[in-house]
């Protein structure tokens, strides 16, 4: 049962252009969303998050957009840099008010930044 | 920069054997987690631990699994009798709880069950 879906297993983007990674979710109880980044042989690293009360959160080159009605979120990276090549995991938490500990991850999208 | 460390990096074991995976979380963190990732699959939640007890566990975390924080610095995951399907990368993570959902992950321990 995939509650968090990343339908693109991989994405290639030219350096300097915008990378857009997409994520869909099915559980309407999710109220907090995250993106993690993972390099080979390393653990995932937290990148950015967004609460369901917002529709956008920006941190430097990274912006996350949330469309609750469509149950869709996206991560925009602009401009894309070679060091952004990694696997990006979309993740979600249900009932963050009561600090539910279970983070549900998607399968990940491998982003390859082309020189 | 403080980091979560995990040992061993890779363990090969026979089916039915007991395995203990060890983690040293970041020292001032209060929340501890184990996740796993079967090759090519998503990262899956196993268990969370706070205040010296399990706060939540998934359906994967059955009676074969246990966690312990024996000495205030280590956080261990024990698999009592390993099965082939336990082969995965096991990630330990910790959090200070200030930014919800921001977990600091270790590099993982790869478990191969033969």
């Amino acid at each position: 049962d995939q509650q968090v879906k990343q339908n693109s297993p991989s994405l290639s983007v030219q350096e300097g252009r915008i990378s857009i990674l997409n994520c869909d979710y099915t559980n309407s109880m999710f109220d907090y969303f995250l993106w993690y980044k993972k390099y080979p042989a390393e653990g995932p690293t937290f990148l950015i998050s967004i609460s369901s009360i917002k529709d956008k959160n920006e941190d430097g080159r990274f912006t996350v957009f949330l469309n609750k009605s469509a149950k869709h979120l996206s991560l925009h990276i602009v401009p894309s840099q070679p060091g952004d090549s990694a696997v990006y995991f979309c993740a979600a938490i249900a009932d963050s008010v009561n600090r539910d500990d279970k983070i549900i991850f998607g399968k990940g999208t491998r982003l390859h930044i082309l020189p | 920069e403080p980091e979560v460390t995990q040992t061993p990096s890779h363990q090969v074991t026979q089916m039915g054997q007991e395995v203990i995976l060890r983690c040293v979380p970041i020292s001032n963190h209060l929340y501890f987690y184990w996740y796993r990732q079967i090759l090519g699959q998503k990262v899956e939640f196993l268990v969370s631990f706070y205040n010296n007890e399990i706060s939540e566990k998934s359906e994967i975390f059955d009676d074969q699994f246990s966690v312990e924080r024996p000495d205030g610095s280590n956080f261990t995951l024990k698999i009592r009798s390993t099965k082939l399907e336990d082969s995965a990368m096991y990630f330990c993570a910790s959090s200070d709880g200030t930014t919800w959902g921001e977990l600091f992950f270790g590099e993982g321990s790869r478990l191969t069950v033969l």
Side-chain angles (χ1 to χ4, degrees):
Chain A
D1 174 31
Q2 266 193 280
Q3 298 185 64
V4 177
K5 300 178 188 178
Q6 294 178 257
N7 292 320
S8 299
S10 66
L11 176 68
S12 294
V13 174
Q14 207 74 36
E15 182 180 354
R17 299 287 186 103
I18 183 171
S19 295
I20 300 176
L21 296 109
N22 292 303
C23 177
D24 298 296
Y25 61 95
T26 57
N27 188 343
S28 54
M29 298 301 292
F30 287 147
D31 60 356
Y32 200 77
F33 303 90
L34 314 105
W35 284 93
Y36 274 79
K37 172 179 174 179
K38 185 181 180 303
Y39 293 118
E42 294 184 12
T45 303
F46 172 80
L47 199 54
I48 193 168
S49 61
I50 187 167
S51 163
S52 61
I53 63 173
K54 294 186 174 183
D55 54 19
K56 177 182 172 180
N57 188 27
E58 192 171 347
D59 182 3
R61 295 186 298 114
F62 302 91
T63 303
V64 56
F65 294 92
L66 174 63
N67 182 335
K68 280 179 294 185
S69 61
K71 292 193 175 70
H72 178 84
L73 65 154
S74 61
L75 175 69
H76 292 209
I77 306 172
V78 55
S80 301
Q81 297 175 354
D84 297 329
S85 294
V87 176
Y88 289 78
F89 293 99
C90 175
I93 304 176
D95 195 14
S96 59
V97 172
N98 291 319
R99 301 186 73 86
D100 186 343
D101 274 332
K102 188 188 300 184
I103 299 178
I104 307 297
F105 284 86
K107 285 190 174 183
T109 296
R110 182 176 300 279
L111 176 64
H112 184 204
I113 304 303
L114 304 168
Chain B
E1 188 175 320
E3 58 182 19
V4 175
T5 56
Q6 290 185 241
T7 54
S9 56
H10 188 194
Q11 180 154 358
V12 181
T13 190
Q14 294 290 325
M15 191 170 58
Q17 295 296 302
E18 176 182 284
V19 159
I20 297 177
L21 304 178
R22 292 183 166 80
C23 170
V24 179
I26 294 173
S27 62
N28 64 335
H29 284 187
L30 301 174
Y31 300 83
F32 312 109
Y33 308 83
W34 283 100
Y35 282 79
R36 79 174 186 187
Q37 185 181 25
I38 295 170
L39 188 64
Q41 302 298 313
K42 61 182 178 178
V43 176
E44 298 176 292
F45 171 81
L46 291 178
V47 66
S48 58
F49 193 87
Y50 171 71
N51 203 24
N52 283 320
E53 61 182 23
I54 290 174
S55 49
E56 189 162 2
K57 59 184 181 179
S58 71
E59 56 278 3
I60 302 168
F61 195 88
D62 61 21
D63 292 344
Q64 294 299 312
F65 290 86
S66 62
V67 289
E68 199 176 34
R69 188 159 160 78
D71 56 12
S73 62
N74 290 286
F75 180 51
T76 62
L77 174 70
K78 182 193 290 187
I79 309 174
R80 209 177 332 272
S81 177
T82 50
K83 303 189 281 284
L84 295 176
E85 54 265 37
D86 293 329
S87 294
M89 181 71 88
Y90 288 80
F91 292 104
C92 174
S94 69
S95 167
D96 63 7
T98 55
T99 300
W100 192 234
E102 182 176 4
L103 272 53
F104 291 79
F105 283 83
E107 292 185 347
S109 293
R110 180 170 296 286
L111 175 65
T112 302
V113 182
L114 302 176

